[in-house]
Amino acid sequence: MQPTIRRFTGTKRDERVGPLRFTADQFSLLQDATVQHGYKGDSGFAADVVLAFVTGRFTANLPLSEDRRRTHHFRAQVLRQLNRIGVNVNQVARALNSDRTPPDVRERLGELHHLLSLIAEALREPADPTEV
């Protein structure tokens, strides 16, 4: 089915959404699609694509919202488990922080704490939706 290009009906689009940002490669793809579908400008093409999607005139496999939700849920589960591990490590550290604890065990606990901190920090960074 060939998309229908919106013709000017006398009703000007005054409301703005954006600004939309693209990488150079993405912007090049947008410009190519704009020309291919007979539009004179990128914004009109982008607006028509969004409106067609919102009104249900076409659907797309857009993983963005579902993938973000799944990623957020996964991260929450991992952080919860890391917290539980951290609680256990703290209990072990408290038990081992006596005068009878060998120094090499304390050193290993320090390394473990550092690794857990790195993992938690990496999980807090935003995911790149293009890396799937």
Side-chain angles (χ1 to χ4, degrees), residues 11-132:
T11 305
K12 187 176 177 187
R13 293 178 174 169
D14 292 324
E15 301 298 326
R16 292 185 160 274
V17 174
L20 299 175
R21 295 184 184 271
F22 300 95
T23 65
D25 293 340
Q26 292 168 340
F27 187 65
S28 177
L29 289 172
L30 174 66
Q31 289 179 319
D32 291 346
T34 298
V35 170
Q36 181 182 8
H37 291 287
Y39 284 82
K40 293 181 182 175
D42 304 327
S43 63
F45 175 71
D48 284 350
V49 168
V50 169
L51 289 172
F53 180 76
V54 169
T55 59
R57 287 185 291 161
F58 79 84
T59 58
N61 236 355
L62 290 180
L64 300 178
S65 61
E66 184 62 23
D67 280 355
R68 285 184 184 154
R69 187 190 65 75
R70 285 184 189 148
T71 301
H72 177 74
H73 181 70
F74 173 74
R75 284 183 175 171
Q77 286 179 327
V78 170
L79 286 172
R80 194 174 306 115
Q81 293 301 322
L82 278 175
N83 183 54
R84 289 179 181 170
I85 292 169
V87 168
N88 290 341
V89 168
N90 285 336
Q91 290 172 350
V92 170
R94 196 174 307 119
L96 293 175
N97 273 337
S98 66
D99 295 334
R100 293 177 275 174
T101 304
D104 63 325
V105 173
R106 287 185 184 161
E107 185 179 319
R108 297 290 179 240
L109 284 173
E111 292 173 7
L112 179 59
H113 180 8
H114 177 69
L115 288 173
L116 287 172
S117 297
L118 290 175
I119 292 169
E121 185 178 313
L123 288 169
R124 287 189 184 104
E125 292 179 9
D128 184 357
T130 60
E131 293 179 10
V132 177

